[in-house]
Coordinates of all heavy atoms in Angstrom, one line a residue:
M1 N -3.1 -1.5 -48.2 CA -2.8 -1.5 -46.8 C -3.6 -2.6 -46.1 O -4.8 -2.7 -46.4 CB -3.0 -0.2 -46.1 CG -2.1 0.9 -46.6 SD -2.3 2.4 -45.8 CE -1.5 2.1 -44.3
E2 N -3.0 -3.2 -45.2 CA -3.7 -4.3 -44.5 C -4.3 -3.8 -43.2 O -3.7 -3.1 -42.4 CB -2.7 -5.4 -44.2 CG -3.4 -6.7 -43.6 CD -2.4 -7.8 -43.5 OE1 -1.5 -8.0 -44.3 OE2 -2.4 -8.4 -42.4
K3 N -5.5 -4.2 -43.0 CA -6.2 -3.7 -41.8 C -5.9 -4.7 -40.6 O -6.0 -5.9 -40.8 CB -7.7 -3.7 -42.0 CG -8.5 -3.0 -41.0 CD -10.0 -2.9 -41.4 CE -10.7 -1.8 -40.7 NZ -12.1 -1.8 -41.0
Q4 N -5.4 -4.2 -39.5 CA -5.1 -5.0 -38.4 C -6.2 -5.0 -37.3 O -6.8 -4.0 -37.0 CB -3.8 -4.5 -37.7 CG -2.6 -4.6 -38.6 CD -1.3 -4.1 -37.8 OE1 -1.5 -3.5 -36.8 NE2 -0.2 -4.3 -38.4
N5 N -6.4 -6.2 -36.8 CA -7.4 -6.3 -35.8 C -6.7 -6.2 -34.4 O -5.8 -6.9 -34.1 CB -8.1 -7.7 -35.8 CG -9.0 -7.9 -37.0 OD1 -9.5 -6.9 -37.5 ND2 -9.2 -9.1 -37.5
V6 N -7.1 -5.2 -33.7 CA -6.5 -4.9 -32.4 C -7.5 -5.4 -31.3 O -8.7 -5.0 -31.3 CB -6.2 -3.4 -32.2 CG1 -5.6 -3.1 -30.9 CG2 -5.3 -2.9 -33.3
I7 N -7.0 -6.3 -30.5 CA -7.8 -6.8 -29.4 C -7.3 -6.1 -28.1 O -6.1 -6.3 -27.8 CB -7.8 -8.3 -29.3 CG1 -8.3 -8.9 -30.6 CG2 -8.5 -8.8 -28.1 CD1 -8.2 -10.4 -30.7
Q8 N -8.2 -5.5 -27.4 CA -7.8 -4.9 -26.1 C -8.5 -5.6 -25.0 O -9.7 -5.9 -25.1 CB -8.2 -3.4 -26.0 CG -7.4 -2.6 -27.0 CD -7.8 -1.1 -26.9 OE1 -8.8 -0.8 -26.3 NE2 -6.9 -0.2 -27.4
L9 N -7.8 -6.0 -24.0 CA -8.4 -6.6 -22.9 C -8.9 -5.6 -21.9 O -8.2 -4.7 -21.5 CB -7.3 -7.5 -22.1 CG -6.8 -8.7 -22.9 CD1 -5.8 -9.4 -22.1 CD2 -8.0 -9.7 -23.2
V10 N -10.1 -5.7 -21.6 CA -10.7 -4.8 -20.6 C -11.1 -5.6 -19.4 O -11.9 -6.5 -19.4 CB -12.0 -4.1 -21.2 CG1 -12.7 -3.2 -20.1 CG2 -11.7 -3.4 -22.5
R11 N -10.3 -5.3 -18.3 CA -10.5 -6.0 -17.1 C -11.5 -5.3 -16.2 O -11.4 -4.1 -16.0 CB -9.2 -6.2 -16.4 CG -8.3 -7.1 -17.2 CD -7.0 -7.3 -16.4 NE -6.1 -8.2 -17.2 CZ -4.9 -8.4 -16.8 NH1 -4.4 -8.0 -15.7 NH2 -4.1 -9.2 -17.6
K12 N -12.4 -6.0 -15.6 CA -13.3 -5.4 -14.6 C -12.5 -5.2 -13.3 O -11.7 -6.0 -12.9 CB -14.5 -6.4 -14.4 CG -15.4 -6.5 -15.5 CD -16.6 -7.4 -15.2 CE -17.5 -7.5 -16.4 NZ -18.6 -8.4 -16.0
P13 N -12.8 -4.1 -12.7 CA -12.1 -3.9 -11.4 C -12.4 -4.9 -10.4 O -13.6 -5.3 -10.2 CB -12.5 -2.5 -11.0 CG -13.7 -2.1 -11.8 CD -13.6 -3.0 -13.0
T14 N -11.4 -5.4 -9.7 CA -11.6 -6.4 -8.6 C -12.2 -5.7 -7.4 O -12.2 -4.5 -7.3 CB -10.3 -7.1 -8.3 OG1 -9.4 -6.2 -7.8 CG2 -9.8 -7.8 -9.5
L15 N -12.6 -6.5 -6.4 CA -13.1 -6.0 -5.2 C -12.0 -5.2 -4.4 O -12.3 -4.1 -3.8 CB -13.7 -7.1 -4.3 CG -14.4 -6.7 -3.1 CD1 -15.7 -5.9 -3.4 CD2 -14.8 -8.0 -2.3
T16 N -10.8 -5.7 -4.5 CA -9.7 -5.0 -3.8 C -9.5 -3.6 -4.4 O -9.3 -2.6 -3.7 CB -8.4 -5.8 -3.9 OG1 -8.7 -7.1 -3.4 CG2 -7.3 -5.2 -3.1
T17 N -9.5 -3.6 -5.8 CA -9.3 -2.3 -6.4 C -10.4 -1.3 -6.1 O -10.2 -0.1 -5.8 CB -9.3 -2.5 -8.0 OG1 -8.3 -3.5 -8.3 CG2 -9.0 -1.2 -8.7
R18 N -11.6 -1.8 -6.0 CA -12.8 -0.9 -5.6 C -12.6 -0.4 -4.2 O -12.9 0.7 -3.9 CB -14.1 -1.6 -5.8 CG -14.4 -1.9 -7.2 CD -15.8 -2.6 -7.4 NE -16.0 -3.0 -8.7 CZ -16.9 -2.5 -9.5 NH1 -17.7 -1.6 -9.1 NH2 -17.0 -2.9 -10.8
F19 N -12.1 -1.3 -3.3 CA -11.9 -0.8 -1.9 C -10.8 0.2 -1.8 O -10.9 1.2 -1.1 CB -11.5 -2.0 -1.0 CG -12.7 -2.8 -0.5 CD1 -12.7 -4.2 -0.5 CD2 -13.8 -2.2 0.0 CE1 -13.7 -4.9 -0.1 CE2 -14.9 -2.9 0.5 CZ -14.9 -4.3 0.4
K20 N -9.7 0.0 -2.6 CA -8.7 1.0 -2.7 C -9.2 2.4 -3.2 O -8.8 3.4 -2.6 CB -7.5 0.5 -3.5 CG -6.7 -0.6 -2.9 CD -5.6 -1.0 -3.9 CE -4.9 -2.2 -3.4 NZ -3.9 -2.7 -4.3
Q21 N -10.0 2.3 -4.3 CA -10.5 3.6 -4.8 C -11.4 4.2 -3.8 O -11.4 5.5 -3.7 CB -11.2 3.3 -6.1 CG -10.3 2.9 -7.2 CD -11.1 2.4 -8.5 OE1 -12.3 2.2 -8.4 NE2 -10.4 2.3 -9.6
A22 N -12.2 3.5 -3.1 CA -13.1 4.0 -2.1 C -12.4 4.7 -1.0 O -12.7 5.7 -0.5 CB -14.1 3.0 -1.6
A23 N -11.2 4.0 -0.6 CA -10.4 4.6 0.5 C -9.8 5.9 0.1 O -9.7 6.8 0.9 CB -9.3 3.6 0.9
V24 N -9.3 6.0 -1.1 CA -8.7 7.2 -1.6 C -9.8 8.3 -1.7 O -9.5 9.5 -1.2 CB -8.1 7.0 -3.0 CG1 -7.7 8.3 -3.7 CG2 -6.9 6.1 -2.9
I25 N -10.9 8.0 -2.2 CA -12.0 9.0 -2.2 C -12.4 9.5 -0.8 O -12.6 10.7 -0.6 CB -13.2 8.5 -3.1 CG1 -12.8 8.3 -4.5 CG2 -14.4 9.4 -2.9 CD1 -13.8 7.6 -5.4
A26 N -12.6 8.5 0.1 CA -13.0 8.8 1.4 C -11.9 9.7 2.1 O -12.2 10.7 2.8 CB -13.2 7.6 2.2
T27 N -10.6 9.4 1.9 CA -9.6 10.2 2.5 C -9.6 11.6 2.0 O -9.5 12.6 2.7 CB -8.2 9.5 2.2 OG1 -8.2 8.2 2.7 CG2 -7.1 10.3 2.9
G28 N -9.7 11.7 0.7 CA -9.8 13.1 0.1 C -10.9 13.9 0.6 O -10.8 15.1 0.9
T29 N -12.1 13.2 0.7 CA -13.3 13.9 1.2 C -13.1 14.3 2.6 O -13.4 15.5 3.0 CB -14.5 13.0 1.1 OG1 -14.6 12.6 -0.3 CG2 -15.8 13.7 1.5
A30 N -12.5 13.4 3.5 CA -12.3 13.8 4.9 C -11.3 14.9 5.0 O -11.5 15.8 5.8 CB -11.8 12.6 5.6
L31 N -10.3 14.9 4.2 CA -9.3 16.0 4.3 C -9.9 17.3 3.8 O -9.6 18.4 4.4 CB -8.0 15.7 3.4 CG -7.2 14.6 4.0 CD1 -6.0 14.2 3.0 CD2 -6.6 15.0 5.3
A32 N -10.7 17.3 2.8 CA -11.4 18.5 2.3 C -12.3 19.1 3.4 O -12.4 20.3 3.6 CB -12.1 18.2 1.0
I33 N -13.1 18.2 4.0 CA -14.0 18.6 5.1 C -13.2 19.2 6.3 O -13.5 20.2 6.8 CB -14.9 17.5 5.5 CG1 -15.9 17.1 4.4 CG2 -15.6 17.8 6.8 CD1 -16.7 15.8 4.7
H34 N -12.1 18.5 6.6 CA -11.2 19.0 7.7 C -10.7 20.4 7.4 O -10.6 21.2 8.2 CB -10.1 18.0 8.0 CG -9.2 18.4 9.1 ND1 -9.6 18.4 10.4 CD2 -7.9 18.8 9.1 CE1 -8.6 18.8 11.1 NE2 -7.6 19.0 10.4
A35 N -10.2 20.6 6.1 CA -9.6 21.8 5.7 C -10.7 23.0 5.8 O -10.4 24.1 6.3 CB -9.1 21.7 4.3
N36 N -11.9 22.7 5.4 CA -12.9 23.7 5.5 C -13.3 24.0 7.0 O -13.6 25.1 7.3 CB -14.2 23.2 4.8 CG -14.0 23.3 3.3 OD1 -13.1 24.0 2.8 ND2 -14.7 22.5 2.5
A37 N -13.3 23.0 7.8 CA -13.6 23.2 9.2 C -12.5 24.0 9.9 O -12.8 24.8 10.8 CB -13.8 21.8 9.9
A38 N -11.3 23.7 9.5 CA -10.2 24.4 10.2 C -10.1 25.9 9.9 O -9.6 26.7 10.7 CB -8.9 23.8 9.8
S39 N -10.7 26.3 8.8 CA -10.7 27.7 8.5 C -11.6 28.6 9.3 O -11.4 29.8 9.4 CB -11.1 27.9 7.0 OG -12.4 27.5 6.8
S40 N -12.5 28.0 10.1 CA -13.4 28.7 10.9 C -13.0 28.9 12.3 O -13.7 29.4 13.2 CB -14.8 28.1 10.8 OG -14.8 26.8 11.4
I41 N -11.8 28.3 12.7 CA -11.3 28.3 14.1 C -10.6 29.6 14.3 O -9.8 30.0 13.5 CB -10.4 27.1 14.3 CG1 -11.2 25.8 14.2 CG2 -9.8 27.2 15.7 CD1 -10.4 24.6 14.3
D42 N -10.9 30.3 15.4 CA -10.1 31.5 15.8 C -8.8 31.1 16.4 O -8.6 29.9 16.9 CB -10.9 32.4 16.7 CG -11.3 31.7 18.0 OD1 -11.2 30.5 18.1 OD2 -11.8 32.5 18.9
A43 N -7.9 32.0 16.5 CA -6.5 31.7 17.0 C -6.3 31.9 18.4 O -5.2 31.9 18.9 CB -5.5 32.5 16.2
T44 N -7.4 32.0 19.2 CA -7.2 32.3 20.7 C -6.5 31.1 21.4 O -5.7 31.2 22.3 CB -8.5 32.6 21.4 OG1 -9.4 31.6 21.1 CG2 -9.0 33.9 20.8
G45 N -6.9 29.8 21.0 CA -6.4 28.7 21.7 C -5.2 28.0 20.9 O -4.8 26.9 21.2
L46 N -4.7 28.8 20.0 CA -3.6 28.2 19.1 C -2.4 27.9 19.9 O -1.7 26.9 19.7 CB -3.3 29.1 18.0 CG -2.5 28.6 16.8 CD1 -3.2 27.3 16.3 CD2 -2.3 29.6 15.7
T47 N -2.0 28.7 20.9 CA -0.8 28.5 21.7 C -0.9 27.2 22.5 O 0.1 26.5 22.5 CB -0.6 29.7 22.6 OG1 -0.6 30.9 21.9 CG2 0.7 29.6 23.4
G48 N -2.0 27.0 23.0 CA -2.2 25.7 23.8 C -2.2 24.5 22.9 O -1.6 23.5 23.2
E49 N -2.7 24.7 21.7 CA -2.6 23.6 20.7 C -1.2 23.3 20.3 O -0.8 22.1 20.2 CB -3.4 23.9 19.4 CG -4.9 23.9 19.7 CD -5.5 22.6 19.9 OE1 -5.0 21.6 19.3 OE2 -6.5 22.5 20.6
I50 N -0.4 24.3 20.1 CA 1.0 24.2 19.7 C 1.8 23.5 20.8 O 2.6 22.6 20.6 CB 1.6 25.5 19.3 CG1 1.0 26.0 18.0 CG2 3.1 25.4 19.2 CD1 1.4 27.4 17.6
D51 N 1.5 24.0 22.1 CA 2.2 23.4 23.2 C 1.9 21.9 23.4 O 2.7 21.1 23.7 CB 1.9 24.1 24.5 CG 2.5 25.5 24.6 OD1 3.5 25.7 23.8 OD2 2.0 26.4 25.3
G52 N 0.6 21.6 23.2 CA 0.2 20.2 23.3 C 0.8 19.3 22.2 O 1.2 18.2 22.4
G53 N 0.9 19.9 21.0 CA 1.5 19.1 19.9 C 3.0 18.9 20.1 O 3.5 17.9 19.8
K54 N 3.6 20.0 20.7 CA 5.1 19.9 21.0 C 5.3 18.8 22.0 O 6.2 18.0 21.9 CB 5.6 21.2 21.5 CG 7.1 21.3 21.7 CD 7.6 22.7 21.9 CE 6.9 23.4 23.0 NZ 7.5 24.7 23.4
A55 N 4.5 18.7 23.0 CA 4.6 17.7 24.1 C 4.4 16.3 23.5 O 5.1 15.4 23.9 CB 3.6 18.0 25.2
T56 N 3.4 16.2 22.6 CA 3.2 14.9 22.0 C 4.4 14.4 21.2 O 4.8 13.3 21.2 CB 1.9 14.9 21.1 OG1 0.8 15.4 21.9 CG2 1.6 13.6 20.5
I57 N 4.9 15.3 20.4 CA 6.1 15.0 19.5 C 7.3 14.6 20.4 O 8.0 13.7 20.1 CB 6.4 16.2 18.6 CG1 5.3 16.3 17.5 CG2 7.7 16.0 17.9 CD1 5.4 17.5 16.7
I58 N 7.5 15.4 21.5 CA 8.7 15.1 22.4 C 8.5 13.7 23.0 O 9.4 12.9 23.1 CB 8.8 16.2 23.4 CG1 9.3 17.4 22.7 CG2 9.8 15.7 24.5 CD1 9.4 18.7 23.6
A59 N 7.2 13.4 23.4 CA 6.9 12.1 24.0 C 7.2 11.0 23.0 O 7.7 9.9 23.3 CB 5.5 12.0 24.5
L60 N 6.7 11.2 21.7 CA 7.0 10.2 20.7 C 8.4 9.9 20.4 O 8.9 8.8 20.3 CB 6.2 10.6 19.4 CG 4.7 10.4 19.4 CD1 4.1 11.0 18.1 CD2 4.3 9.0 19.6
F61 N 9.2 11.0 20.3 CA 10.7 10.9 20.1 C 11.3 10.2 21.3 O 12.2 9.4 21.2 CB 11.3 12.2 19.8 CG 11.2 12.6 18.4 CD1 10.6 13.8 18.0 CD2 11.8 11.9 17.4 CE1 10.5 14.2 16.7 CE2 11.7 12.2 16.1 CZ 11.1 13.4 15.7
G62 N 10.9 10.5 22.5 CA 11.4 9.9 23.7 C 11.1 8.4 23.7 O 12.0 7.6 24.0
T63 N 9.9 8.0 23.4 CA 9.6 6.6 23.3 C 10.4 5.9 22.2 O 10.9 4.8 22.5 CB 8.1 6.5 23.0 OG1 7.3 7.2 24.0 CG2 7.6 5.0 23.0
A64 N 10.6 6.5 21.1 CA 11.4 5.9 20.0 C 12.8 5.7 20.5 O 13.4 4.7 20.2 CB 11.3 6.8 18.8
L65 N 13.4 6.7 21.2 CA 14.7 6.5 21.7 C 14.9 5.4 22.7 O 15.8 4.6 22.7 CB 15.2 7.9 22.3 CG 15.6 9.0 21.4 CD1 15.9 10.2 22.1 CD2 16.8 8.5 20.5
V66 N 13.9 5.2 23.6 CA 13.9 4.2 24.5 C 13.8 2.8 23.8 O 14.6 1.9 24.1 CB 12.7 4.3 25.6 CG1 12.6 3.0 26.4 CG2 13.0 5.5 26.5
I67 N 13.0 2.7 22.8 CA 12.8 1.4 22.1 C 14.1 1.2 21.3 O 14.6 0.0 21.3 CB 11.6 1.5 21.1 CG1 10.3 1.5 22.0 CG2 11.6 0.3 20.2 CD1 9.1 1.7 21.2
L68 N 14.7 2.2 20.7 CA 16.0 2.0 20.0 C 17.1 1.6 21.0 O 17.9 0.7 20.6 CB 16.4 3.3 19.3 CG 17.6 3.3 18.4 CD1 17.4 2.3 17.3 CD2 17.9 4.7 17.9
G69 N 17.1 2.2 22.2 CA 18.1 1.8 23.2 C 17.9 0.3 23.6 O 18.9 -0.4 23.8
I70 N 16.7 -0.1 23.8 CA 16.4 -1.5 24.2 C 16.9 -2.4 23.1 O 17.6 -3.4 23.3 CB 15.0 -1.7 24.5 CG1 14.6 -1.0 25.8 CG2 14.6 -3.2 24.6 CD1 13.1 -1.0 26.1
F71 N 16.6 -2.1 21.8 CA 17.0 -2.9 20.7 C 18.6 -3.0 20.6 O 19.1 -4.1 20.4 CB 16.4 -2.3 19.4 CG 16.8 -3.1 18.2 CD1 16.3 -4.4 17.9 CD2 17.7 -2.6 17.2 CE1 16.7 -5.1 16.8 CE2 18.1 -3.3 16.1 CZ 17.5 -4.6 15.9
A72 N 19.2 -1.8 20.7 CA 20.7 -1.8 20.7 C 21.3 -2.6 21.8 O 22.3 -3.3 21.6 CB 21.2 -0.4 20.7
G73 N 20.7 -2.4 23.0 CA 21.2 -3.2 24.2 C 21.0 -4.7 24.0 O 21.9 -5.5 24.3
W74 N 19.9 -5.1 23.4 CA 19.6 -6.5 23.2 C 20.7 -7.1 22.2 O 21.2 -8.2 22.4 CB 18.2 -6.6 22.6 CG 17.9 -8.0 22.2 CD1 17.9 -8.5 21.0 CD2 17.5 -9.1 23.1 NE1 17.6 -9.9 21.0 CE2 17.3 -10.3 22.3 CE3 17.3 -9.2 24.5 CZ2 16.9 -11.5 22.8 CZ3 16.9 -10.5 25.0 CH2 16.8 -11.6 24.1
R75 N 20.9 -6.3 21.1 CA 21.9 -6.8 20.2 C 23.3 -6.9 20.8 O 24.1 -7.8 20.5 CB 22.0 -5.9 19.0 CG 20.7 -6.1 18.1 CD 20.8 -5.4 16.8 NE 22.0 -5.9 16.1 CZ 22.4 -5.4 14.9 NH1 21.8 -4.4 14.4 NH2 23.5 -6.0 14.3
Y76 N 23.6 -5.9 21.6 CA 24.9 -5.9 22.3 C 25.1 -7.1 23.2 O 26.1 -7.8 23.2 CB 25.1 -4.6 23.1 CG 26.4 -4.6 23.8 CD1 27.6 -4.3 23.2 CD2 26.5 -4.7 25.2 CE1 28.8 -4.3 23.8 CE2 27.7 -4.7 25.9 CZ 28.8 -4.4 25.2 OH 30.0 -4.4 25.9
L77 N 24.1 -7.4 24.0 CA 24.1 -8.5 25.0 C 24.1 -9.9 24.2 O 24.8 -10.8 24.6 CB 22.9 -8.5 25.9 CG 22.9 -7.4 27.0 CD1 21.6 -7.4 27.7 CD2 24.1 -7.6 27.9
K78 N 23.3 -9.9 23.1 CA 23.3 -11.2 22.3 C 24.6 -11.4 21.7 O 25.1 -12.6 21.7 CB 22.2 -11.0 21.3 CG 21.8 -12.4 20.7 CD 20.5 -12.2 19.8 CE 20.2 -13.6 19.3 NZ 19.1 -13.6 18.5
R79 N 25.3 -10.4 21.2 CA 26.6 -10.6 20.5 C 27.6 -11.0 21.6 O 28.4 -11.8 21.3 CB 27.0 -9.3 19.9 CG 28.2 -9.4 19.0 CD 28.6 -8.2 18.3 NE 27.6 -7.1 18.6 CZ 27.9 -5.8 18.5 NH1 29.1 -5.4 18.2 NH2 27.0 -4.9 18.7
G80 N 27.5 -10.4 22.8 CA 28.5 -10.8 23.9 C 28.3 -12.2 24.3 O 29.3 -12.9 24.6
A81 N 27.0 -12.7 24.4 CA 26.8 -14.0 24.8 C 27.2 -15.0 23.7 O 27.7 -16.1 24.0 CB 25.3 -14.2 25.1
N82 N 27.1 -14.7 22.5 CA 27.5 -15.6 21.4 C 29.0 -15.6 21.2 O 29.5 -16.6 20.8 CB 26.9 -15.1 20.1 CG 25.4 -15.4 20.0 OD1 24.9 -16.3 20.8 ND2 24.7 -14.7 19.2
S83 N 29.7 -14.6 21.6 CA 31.2 -14.6 21.4 C 31.9 -15.3 22.5 O 33.1 -15.6 22.4 CB 31.7 -13.1 21.2 OG 31.5 -12.4 22.5
A84 N 31.2 -15.5 23.6 CA 31.9 -16.2 24.8 C 32.1 -17.7 24.5 O 31.5 -18.3 23.8 CB 31.1 -16.0 26.0

């Protein structure tokens, strides 16, 4: 049997790769800390938090609808001006 020489390239991680890995580790750590902190909160102010979150979500959807309407109106006006 013939012995084969296997050459493996080992690349050193680049600076970008190290930043990505650091970001993933930092995010995981922050989420773990946040999860531990959230377990100690009592539920007395939970209704207010839910109402505030609901208001924020409705505001975001309303803003998105306005932006979508502006974009659709712009395309409609642009198409009308080009077809004349």
